Structure formats: C-alpha cells, structure tokens
Amino acid sequence: MKQNIETFIGCGAEYREAKIVLFGAPFDSTTSFRPGARFGSSAIRHESFGLETYSLYQDKDLSECRIFDSGDLELCFGDPTLALSAIEKHTAKIIKDGKLPFLIGGEHLVTLGAVRAAFKKYPDLQIVHFDAHADLREKYLGARYSHACVLRRCHDLLGDGKIHQFCIRSGEREEFAFAKAHTNLHPFDFSGLEETVAALAQSGAPVYVTVDLDCLDPSVFPGTGTPEAGGVSFLQLLSALRSVCSLNVVGADVNELAPMLDSSGASTATACKVVREFLLALYH
Amino acid sequence: MKQNIETFIGCGAEYREAKIVLFGAPFDSTTSFRPGARFGSSAIRHESFGLETYSLYQDKDLSECRIFDSGDLELCFGDPTLALSAIEKHTAKIIKDGKLPFLIGGEHLVTLGAVRAAFKKYPDLQIVHFDAHADLREKYLGARYSHACVLRRCHDLLGDGKIHQFCIRSGEREEFAFAKAHTNLHPFDFSGLEETVAALAQSGAPVYVTVDLDCLDPSVFPGTGTPEAGGVSFLQLLSALRSVCSLNVVGADVNELAPMLDSSGASTATACKVVREFLLALYH
Amino acid sequence: MKQNIETFIGCGAEYREAKIVLFGAPFDSTTSFRPGARFGSSAIRHESFGLETYSLYQDKDLSECRIFDSGDLELCFGDPTLALSAIEKHTAKIIKDGKLPFLIGGEHLVTLGAVRAAFKKYPDLQIVHFDAHADLREKYLGARYSHACVLRRCHDLLGDGKIHQFCIRSGEREEFAFAKAHTNLHPFDFSGLEETVAALAQSGAPVYVTVDLDCLDPSVFPGTGTPEAGGVSFLQLLSALRSVCSLNVVGADVNELAPMLDSSGASTATACKVVREFLLALYH
Amino acid sequence: MKQNIETFIGCGAEYREAKIVLFGAPFDSTTSFRPGARFGSSAIRHESFGLETYSLYQDKDLSECRIFDSGDLELCFGDPTLALSAIEKHTAKIIKDGKLPFLIGGEHLVTLGAVRAAFKKYPDLQIVHFDAHADLREKYLGARYSHACVLRRCHDLLGDGKIHQFCIRSGEREEFAFAKAHTNLHPFDFSGLEETVAALAQSGAPVYVTVDLDCLDPSVFPGTGTPEAGGVSFLQLLSALRSVCSLNVVGADVNELAPMLDSSGASTATACKVVREFLLALYH
Amino acid sequence: MKQNIETFIGCGAEYREAKIVLFGAPFDSTTSFRPGARFGSSAIRHESFGLETYSLYQDKDLSECRIFDSGDLELCFGDPTLALSAIEKHTAKIIKDGKLPFLIGGEHLVTLGAVRAAFKKYPDLQIVHFDAHADLREKYLGARYSHACVLRRCHDLLGDGKIHQFCIRSGEREEFAFAKAHTNLHPFDFSGLEETVAALAQSGAPVYVTVDLDCLDPSVFPGTGTPEAGGVSFLQLLSALRSVCSLNVVGADVNELAPMLDSSGASTATACKVVREFLLALYH
Amino acid sequence: MKQNIETFIGCGAEYREAKIVLFGAPFDSTTSFRPGARFGSSAIRHESFGLETYSLYQDKDLSECRIFDSGDLELCFGDPTLALSAIEKHTAKIIKDGKLPFLIGGEHLVTLGAVRAAFKKYPDLQIVHFDAHADLREKYLGARYSHACVLRRCHDLLGDGKIHQFCIRSGEREEFAFAKAHTNLHPFDFSGLEETVAALAQSGAPVYVTVDLDCLDPSVFPGTGTPEAGGVSFLQLLSALRSVCSLNVVGADVNELAPMLDSSGASTATACKVVREFLLALYH
C-alpha cells in the first residue's frame, strides 16, 4: 500500500531526473500587517488539483515535464536568520545538482535565501522583480531582515543596476529616491519590460525572477497581506512571465499568497495557474 | 392573508400568460472539486431583490414582461440519471406549452436535461456555449454523466458542427483535439462570435444558449467551483448575450454560481444581473 | 504616558493649523438591503496603516499636509433626522473655521447633512456625484430620508442643473426620467467629465464632491451593500478625482464601504487608497 | 404549474384553518452595534428544511399541526414608528381572527408592535421575557424606540409587576434599579421560572412570550448582534419554553438571529430548532 | 531529496509493521443539505500538526504506535455504487492483512463500504453508532444509498439487534418506530452505554464503531452539514470512545466534518483530537 | 475640536490618577501554527463598546474605576528580543509609578517581558497561569523565545515551585515531566485552585496572573491559534479570576485572542468581557 505523497499537480518526477525542483518556504514572521503567507505554498500545492496539467496558452503539459516537488521546508518562526539559512542551503543543493530551484513563499523575505545561493554560483546575477511594493527600505520597524527590505538586501549583494523592478506602485519617498540611483524601477506596470528583456538576452546574464503576486490587481488577487489597487491583470502577468522565461533563468520564486485572506479560493486558484504557467515557460 | 410566494424579481406573471418560464435545478453531485452550485438558483432568486427591474443597458423593465418562476425542482442527490430525467420532463412540459424554458443551475450537468427536451422538439438544434472549460471529456473519474462531460454528452445527441464554444481556456489536450474535429471552439474570449451569430441568423436554426458563469473572470465572479483566471468582463458577456438573443433561441440556462464560496455576495449579485439582462434580451 | 490617539494615516495635524478636517459618520439605518456601512469610517481609519503616506501617482506625501481627523460622530440609530442634524452641525463648524470638511460614511444619506451645511454657506453650490445608483427616488419604502433618495433631497435644495452624476448604471425608469429633466446624468462611466470640469472651472462655482464607492466595479470593490457589475476601475476613479479636485472644492465625502462584506480586506484597502489620493488631490 | 411558495418547514396549512400564524419582521434599524437581524426571519424559513418536522423531545410532528406562514412583512427602514405600526396591524388581524400570532424578528424592538396588539385585546397581559439584556433603558443614543428600550416601552403599557425576565446578565446599573422596582427580573438563568409559571397558571392570565435568542450562550448561538458570555444551554431553553407554553399564551416571538454573523450556519440551525420546538409546545 | 509525504501526525509507520491503517474517503455526493464533508479527511490530516502526539488523557503517545496512513481514496463523484465498492475493496485488503481499518469520511454513507468488508470477514458483526441522526430511512429523495439511509443499509446486512445507537436526537417518526423494532436506539446522549459495553464485552463479539461527529453539540462542532442542537460534549465523547475501545473492535470510522463550514478551524481541530484519542484508545 | 481617542470602554482616566494601566502588545511572530494574535489587543479595545461598563456579576462599574489605557506598543516583527525589551521597559515604568500593569497580547510570549519587569521589582514573584498548553518546552523549532516556551523562560527566572498552572490539557510528555519536578501543574480544569489561593494568600506573596484565553473551551472561544477541546466555561473562568484577584496581584495579562479566526465576533466579545471582569476584580 502506497504512502500519501502530495505534489503540485503534474510534478511527480523523481529528483534524479528532474530539471526543475519546486519547494515551499512557509515563513511570514516579519510580515508587519496581515500574516498568512506561511500557508501559501501548502495551499498552492493542495489546490493545484483544481487545475488541468495542460495549458492552452502555451500548448504544453506539465505531466510531460520532469519536475520534482520536495515539499515545504520546516522553518523556525521568530528567527529570520535561521529561516534564511535553511532556504539558502536547500537552494544551493538544487543548484549544485544542476537543477533550477523554484521557490514558493511565504512572505517575500524568503527570496533573500534563494538569491544568496544563486549569487554564490553566479556572481553576475541579475534580478527581475514583479511587485506592487519597492521593498527597498534600509530598515523596517527596527529590523533589516523584513519583507519590506528584501530587495534592498539583494542590492547589498548584487550592487547597482542589477535589479529590474516592474509594477511598483507603493513605497516611501526615500525608496523611490534609492531606486533612481541604484535599481531600474518601472512604476505601475510592465512598461519597459521589452527593452529590459532584450538587453538581458543580449548579455546572456544569469537571471533570478522573483514574483510578488501582489503585483496583480487586488480584484484578481485579494488574498495577500497588503493589496494595492491599480495593479496588472492575469493576462499581462502571463505575457510578462513568458517573455522573461526566454532569458537565462537560474532561479525563480512566487510569493505572498495568504490563502486564508481570500475565502473564495480565487486567489489561490490564480496563484496555482501562475505557478503552472511559470513552470511551463521555464521548462525548455 | 396571502401565502409567501418567492420569485426572481419582476417575474410574477401567471403560468398561463407567460412567454418565458424560469426554474431552478439545485443539483451539484458530480462536482469534483468544490461543491455549492446546488445553492445557486435559490440564491439568485433570493438576492434578486437587490436589483432594479429596469435595465439602463436595454431600456427595458422586467415588470413589463410576462415571465413565470416555477421555483426549484426537488432533485435526487447521488443519482444524476434521476435528476436529469426530472429536468428533461419539466423542460419538455414548458416547451410543449409554447413557452421558453430558462433554467438556472446547479452544476453544468443540468444543461443535459434541458437540451434533451429541446432536441426532441428541435432535431436541428444548435448550442451556443460560454464557459471557461471545454466540458468535452468522454469520462471523468469513471463517470460519463459529469459536469466535465456535459458538452460531450450534448455532442452525442446533436452531432458535429452544432456546438459553438466561446471563452474556453481550460481543458485536457484531448478535449481540444476533440473540439477541433467536432465542435466550433473559440478560445479565451468572444472572438468569432459575430460571425457565428451571423451564420446562425441566416440559417434560422433553433438555438439553445448555455452560460457557465465561470466564463467571467474570477475577479468579477469568484463564487464558482473552479475559477479560471483570464476570463471575460461583465460588459463583454452582456454584449455577447444581447447578440445571441437576436437569434431563434428556444431554450437557455445559466449555471455554476456557488454562492457560499463568495461571502461578499458580489458573485451572486452579478449572477442576478446576468439573469435579468439575459431575460430582457430574450424577451421580444 | 500618552493616550491612545487614532487617526487616518498621516492626518496628525492639530485642528487649529489644519486645512482639511476628516470625520466619520457611522450611520446606515436606512440601508434597505445589506447593512454594514456604519463600520466604514472606522475601518478606513484603522486599516489605513497598511498604506504608505507617500503617493507615487501624485508625488505627494500625506505627512507633509496639515489634516486633522476628528474621529467618528456618535449618531442616533433609528432616527435619520437626528443623525443628519448632527452631521450638518459638525460640517458647518468646520466650514465656519475656514477648513475643508471631508466626510467618510456610512451610507450615502449622510451626504445630505454635509451638503446642507455647505449649501448654507455657498448658495450657488454644485455637486459632482460618482455612483452606480442614481439615488433620485422621491420616496423609498415610504421614507423620504433614505440612501436611495439622497441626491433627490440634494436637488430639493440646489435646484435644476446643479448636480453632475457619473458612472450611474442602476435605477428605476422614473429616476432616469427625472435626471433627464433636472440633473446632468452621465451613464456607466466618466464620459463627459472633461467637459463638466471645464465648465465648472470657468464658472468658478463652489463644488461638493460625493463619491459612492460602488461606482467602482464589484471586482475592485465587492465590500458594499449593493454591488453593481459594470463599474469603473480604480485608475479611472483616481484620474477622475484628480480632475475634479482642480476645481473650487468646498466639501467632499466618500461612502458606502461595508467592510464586513469583503472579508479579504481588499475593499477596505482600496477605500483607504481612494481617501489618501482624494485628500492629496484636494490639498493645494 | 405551481408557483414557488416558501414556508417554515411543515407550516403549510391554509390561513382559514390555522391555529397559529407565523410571520417575519425583517427590521433592525435601531441596532446600535452589529446589524443583520433583518435577515433572521428569512434565514429561519429558508434553512428550516435542514430540520425534520418530527420532534423526539415532544413526540409531536409539525406536519400534523395547522400552522400558516404569512411570510415577511415589508417594513420601512429608517423609521421605527412606521415599522411598529405595520407589525401591530398585522398582529391585531391575526388575533381578531382567533389565531395565535408567532412573530420572528428582526431586532427585539419588533416585539413592541406585537405586544401593543395583544395588550389592546388583553388589558391584563403579562410578559415572559428570556434575554441576556434587560432592555429597560428609557432612551438609547437619544431614541426611545430602540432595541435597548423595548421592555421599558412594554412596561409603559402594562405597568408594574407584569414583566417576568429571565437569563438577564447585562445592562446598566440604572436598568437593574428600575427592574427591582417595576419588573420581576431573574438574573443569569431560569432560576425562579417554576414559581413564576405556577403563579401565572393559577391566575390564568394571558401571557405573551418574547425570546431574544441571545439568552443562549454564545457558544450555542454566536450569530447575534451582541453575544454575551455566560448564557443558558439549548436544552435549558427548551425545557423553559415547554414550561411556559403550558400557560395561556396569546402571542409569542423569537428574535435577534443575525445569520450572516455566524457563517457556519449553526446559529441559524439552532434558531430553526427553537422555533420548531416552540411551535410544537404552543400547539395544543 | 525526499518526496513530500503527508500523514496524520504521528502516523508515519510503514504498512508492513502497522497495526492500524488510516485512510480517507472524500465523498459527499448524497449529502442533501450542505456539502463539504468531502474535504474532511484531507483537512484532518493537514491540520493534525496543530496537535501534540501525546495525550494527557490517556498518557499515551501516537509516535510510539505503529499506524500507517494510506491517504485519501480517489472516488467517483456522482456514483455512490462505485465509491462504495472502492471503499469496501480497500477495507477488505487491510482486514485481510490483519490490520485494523480506520476510515475518515466524507459523508456517513462511506461507512457502508467499510461495514460490508468487515461483515464479510465477521458475520456476527455488531455496530456501535454515535450520531445526532438515526440514519434509518428506507429511501431519501428517491435514493436508497444516501447518508440518511446508511444505518438502514447496515441493518439490511446485519439484521436485528446488532446496531447500538447513541446520542440520536433527530429523525422521522418512522425511523424511531423502525428502531424500536430492529435496533437498540438510545436517544439524546450516552445513557445506556455502560450496559451495552458490558454485554458486548461478555459476548466477545466483533464490533465496528462508527462516529458521526455531529453527535457532538454544535457549540463544540459547528462544522458539519446538519448541526443539531442538544448534543454531547467533547469530554463525554472521549469517555464513550475509551469505553467502547475496550471491546473487540475490528473496524472504525469518523465522519461528517465539513471543514469549510467552520471557518474558525475549531471543528477541524476538535475532529483531529477525536481521531488522536480514538486511535490511542484503539491501540493496545 | 477633540482628537480621536480610543480606549477600552470605561478606561478613560488620566495616567496620573490611574491605579491600573492597560496596554497592548500586538506581537505574534513566533506563533507556529495560525497567526493573528497580533490583532487581539486592538480588537478588544475596539469591540469593548458592545459591552456595558457595569457588571452584574460583581455589582461594580468600570466607569467608577480609575484605569488608563496607553494603547498598543509598536513592536518589531521578526525579532522577539526587541519586542520583549520594549514590553519590559513599558511594564517597568508602570510598576515604578506605583500602578498595576495589565497587558493584552498578542501571543503568549509577550508575558515574558512583563514578568521580567515584575520579577525585578518583586524577586519573590509567583505566577498563576491559566492555559490549555503547558508552554514548558526548552526549545521550539530551534527557538528558545517562542510562545511554546514562555513559562519555561519564566521558570528560568523564578525557579521551582513558583508557577501554578491550571486547565492544562496539551503538551509533550517531556513538559509534563518537567512540570512534575518544577511547577505546580493542575490538569484539565481549576481543581486545586482553592488550595493554591489559600496558600498564596497566607504567604502574601506578590502574584502575576497570566491568562491564555485558550484555557476556555473552543465552543466558547474558537478565535485562537490552537484551540484545544475540553476546556473550561466562561463562568468557571470568571469564578477563578475573582478568586485569584483576592491575592496580592502585581501584574496581569490576557492573551492569544486571534480575532480574525472567529468571524462571528463571539470570541472577541468574550475576551472583552473577561477583560472587564478581570479589571473589576483587580480593582480594590
């Protein structure tokens, strides 16, 4: 009699043969406003069975891809340092084995663990970042390791001109001043993405793609800690993801679904579909 | 002292004089994912009192139309065969009396009962189908009578080229292959509707219109069992309905509202408005 | 040790120095369908801390404006006359002190209290009205003081041609007939706003701006008593507000958030953002 | 084809033959805290189909009783005076026709309308009152017609020593002082009920029974505007109702279910069962 | 890298060594009122991680027991016959391998599948049944295989005097008449359990224990399709389970949690605790 | 015009004159299961206006007591050390000014900050602890500062025999072994409280009282992170609190309300009532 194995739909490959490795980081301790992103990865895995494995958009089928789902990490609540170390270690192992890490959060801070691992392997790493918030604060409520500071911490590692931000529509005045000097911030939507992708394609640089699902409009995705009116549509995000996945992507994540906040389940269903399309676009 | 009669707003005509007869089919036993569509027809009737009877879009008023609401059928849970027979019998009675049947689901399988009755009267019946899902599976989890197979069962009756599908964005690879060979499937939105309506108008063929409300984007309509991101807007649906209602429509349905899934009530309110506009457009 | 003072984010000025005075009117007794707007002002104040004070859209910061939040009025439930008097009195005091009153409802009837005060000071007052509903009934369920009659009561005061209505998509046939004769009603969206603003600008007339948040599409704003499909987007509303705030605005309100109806919190978050942008646009 | 008639389960008798007449008063405009009781009567009717008509407690069956359900009154929101008149008129008609009126609220203020009608017929009327709150205020937020004043208004009519209150555990100090002088108030639970019933039985006085469902503990009945910890159990209430129904009851009501507040539906299901048992106990 | 295995907490033994085998039957197609029990087994497994493995009541620890969790069966919706066969087959395999089957529903009909398998092996099987409802109807809405008929179907197999029912407080008059003639029905609570257990202990008969969680009071367990006021407490159920588990139990089940109906999660947490205590009591 | 001051109902005294100082600690970063206790103190303050200030149980009125509400602390998420320091500092200031600190959490870890401050002033401090969980782990998921370890950390300070635990019904085997050696743990309910209070009264020792609201049964209090079936009733808790408040209490707290988890609001209302009764009992 078989044990009860749960994976994201269609991600039933063995580790050995897999090209992409999916894993969850159920952590949201630094979320200052409304918590619940800790339940995101588990809900996405669980509810993925409401989806088909086949995508009409890309005419591809997840069940024909070799993707392994290693489940959720067990992370320490109340100590971001320990949690980030665990994420970094897990990501590094996947990269070392020649596979693409695909992280599902959790709050956005988890990205830092994965980026650290990717940066160690690829010192010329660039980041493409879709988000409603700039996440460029130096500190937030006294803490440097906070979801509101995560791209700032990534900048500490990567340096100027390596972070390409889209859909940003919220932040402090200081964050936008910082962005002007140090990152490529594109406000509101995906304007400028085509040029960014063209430039990154030419350079061949390794790219890490981080998607805070609150880049989507709250009408599409209310189930997140800090919904920000004025975001992009699902089809716009889908198109942007397919464009970015033509690049040399070496790591990726999707985060900030707080499933309990949207009791209709539509946010979770949309997150599942984003993950399916993202995985299919990444899989060459 | 009067008894407590409940109807969809403005549908207080007597049966004898009515041109359209509304009824509910509170059945969702084959729903594999998230049930609740059984409560759809009752919620639509109950919450319709938040609407006006007058439509500014069509400059028509339901209270000036002769529509009878016969309430919800009492259907057997756990036996789709019995439920479909009851729906077919009720629909056949309405058609025999020279009135237009307007069915509110319930899950999408209920359409099969009404289509059987319409097909017996009109052997050249054509179907116009708005839905996120192709619903063309031969079997689903071992069952041939399932919401995921309903258009396939309709095809069994009507044959090739009689089913016109719009807004479809989800299904198995096999369903799209089947559609290519046997139905007129238009993916994603209402592209191609104008041509379809023109052709059907010219032929004068009797048309059954079936609307799975999940054709709408989940932002507009989260209250359904399997919300699929990337759908159409309310105004697009309204425009499509008005276009289709210019044809020789002999039966119609609206289904898949699961009201408990959207606790805000916005999905139910939108379903009510779709029903009002649909009825007004059908009423000549 | 300090007492526990709660304000809308960034509205911490003292009354004496303030240019705008915010206050809440937690009243919804005449709401016929789904109540809850009484909790709107309190929720907007409470949840505003999920926002930034800085707006990227307008490159302005609330914390640099002098705005005073006087909290919620304590209003009598079950007697609209008493409630309207209290609102009128409070508004009149603010106007007398040379400040701009900014009222947060509550149901839409509360607007009448503020308009009475503004009209006493400015007999040539004009109203710009964004709403899904015409609110022009003479009576509703026997009552003349009802949310469904509020603009009709304003018309009783101001007279013909002074009320400019936008986004209206619901009402009785009689209301639209009344509007044709007595108000400037623009159905469905903001078509015609540019011309209206140009004319009002030229006249220099004092303008009261009343925003029923259900002018927004229910996808964006489900948390309201009578959501009406087919509304405008957040960005359309933002643009319209900025346009109107270029006029000689002497009073303003935002109403009809019923926060409990949207348990995701997205409606409340959107209302907060509308209030922030509205305040920033009003602040010269 | 039949129209869609909705009644409380098993209450399908014709008016002419009925001994008890059920009706709803969907009014909650004076509710100061959390509204929603307006939906109580409709929810009780709708959800009663989850019950059996047979009671094992009393070995009686509703389907064997002659009870008529006249539906919900259409009441004016925002004007308690009009609403109370409508309730009084409807109750008076039922009493005049020799039947027992059974009112389902709505907020507790609706009791006043029914008591006025009963008092006109029976000047020696006594009231048995189960509630968490004393409801004996002279005024509440400036209003004399408020749910918090309803028993005080009844006392205005009936005079001293006619009101017997049980389960009371909340009120202002002044209300308890008033009760000491003018009513028979039994705090916390049903202590003293046996003696009260014995005395009322001996006198043969006509009795009106009013049940605010928040007399139940919030664990049993959270779906009410102001839940008060420390209440009685369902079985205690059942026993008390059966005891009181041995008296000469000439009118009765059940109120203050706010169904939307308990999304589990358990409060509504419990209210349905209270109504069933109350009706069976009243039916001789 | 390990695959993602999910079990009920502490049930991580291998099949070969296990004494008890847990499995889920996510089926609720015949539920006539409020569906959702299909999500019960999955929610119980998922949320069990909020529990400790150690029980202070029994001073035992699940992690010291050898229990295997085989996950949820994949069952056909819309065809109870197929679903029951699958459950019977799975149960028979477990019994054949000398292990105790422990089924988590799903709706109560699933019990029939397991009882069939147990009855084939143990023709003198007796059933101990805890439930709010008698479940003794011959037919329900035309169907013989319905949750409302499940104990009647068990009686068809086992015959008179073999079914011992407790906590029953709802049913039709006919069901109680049937019980009088054919089963040992104890109304309302666990009165009579001690004697029943003593008799069954003396006979040494094989016993199947079926627990419909709605035997609990709705205050304790609102998350079920048809909550019935007047039930037992958690501690009463715990005591009864421990008593029954002293018998020769050859199969057991727990069913009718509908987790979405109680958004607080307390019902699911209580169901988890019942399962833990039940397993510990069964484990000798 | 007055600013908008929010306090717990009836706690409007000035700091200078106050005998008790209320404050909130909105922190829940170490909560491993279901977060949300961060919203507890704010919800209790906000919803307290559904209560009366008068208590019939104690015949006392909050409005006659001198209590100051200093609002919620602004605490760093993601760093328990910083949060605990802030709580300790605030508590120490209150104690230094000769007033009684009354802390509302937040998660249970916040107690440690207040206990540290009390212990510095009173080295012979004893703790009375009401809780479902022992909270005696040495570490939890790698962290020593966790809600699951808070009483263990208190024991680190106070030493053996100083902690008196009641209602405990959940924990690991090791925690109960630790308790046997080092604390006075009374399982399940308040058995033994009378003796404990007598002994503490005789000693005259300073006592800190910490109440984890999950000591209550989940039927009474579902709105908490880890509801544990089998708890005490509200009236039992009330009686225990009044007993303990006869001692020399030098600090107190109430924690672990997660208001969003119980959408009915009953848990919050009950927490408000516990706070009112606790304050009244403490006030001599």
Side-chain angles (χ1 to χ4, degrees), chain E residues 213-226:
Chain E
L213 288 163
D214 67 16
C215 65
L216 289 164
D217 193 72
S219 60
V220 177
F221 195 74
T224 191
T226 41

Side-chain angles (χ1 to χ4, degrees), chain F residues 51 107 169:
Chain F
L51 281 183
E107 60 159 81
R169 52 195 185 275

Side-chain angles (χ1 to χ4, degrees), chain F residues 3-18:
Chain F
Q3 275 182 301
N4 185 44
I5 294 168
E6 288 209 357
T7 70
F8 188 85
I9 194 166
C11 294
E14 299 200 18
Y15 182 71
R16 196 181 31 79
E17 60 174 349

Side-chain angles (χ1 to χ4, degrees), chain B residues 54-160:
Chain B
Y54 174 73
S55 163
L56 186 60
Y57 303 100
Q58 304 193 47
D59 191 23
K60 285 172 157 183
D61 198 309
L62 266 187
S63 65
E64 297 159 5
C65 303
R66 281 167 289 142
I67 305 176
F68 177 84
D69 181 349
S70 73
D72 280 2
L73 300 178
E74 191 165 277
L75 300 173
C76 175
F77 282 92
D79 192 336
T81 314
L82 287 178
L84 288 173
S85 295
I87 296 166
E88 181 181 350
K89 196 174 150 192
H90 197 75
T91 311
K93 158 82 174 149
I94 294 164
I95 290 176
K96 181 163 159 286
D97 292 346
K99 300 162 194 307
L100 187 106
F102 190 98
L103 166 60
I104 305 181
E107 60 158 80
H108 207 166
L109 181 61
V110 301
T111 296
L112 183 58
V115 164
R116 280 177 181 166
F119 178 68
K120 276 195 187 152
K121 174 73 181 262
Y122 306 101
D124 55 340
L125 189 71
Q126 307 248 350
I127 292 177
V128 174
H129 172 223
F130 301 163
D131 200 331
H133 308 88
D135 289 355
L136 289 172
R137 300 192 191 210
E138 176 53 30
K139 276 197 175 188
Y140 187 61
L141 293 174
R144 294 182 74 245
Y145 294 106
S146 160
H147 65 118
C149 311
V150 59
L151 270 293
R152 184 67 173 263
R153 291 292 85 74
C154 291
H155 175 268
D156 292 348
L157 286 179
L158 274 63
D160 284 2

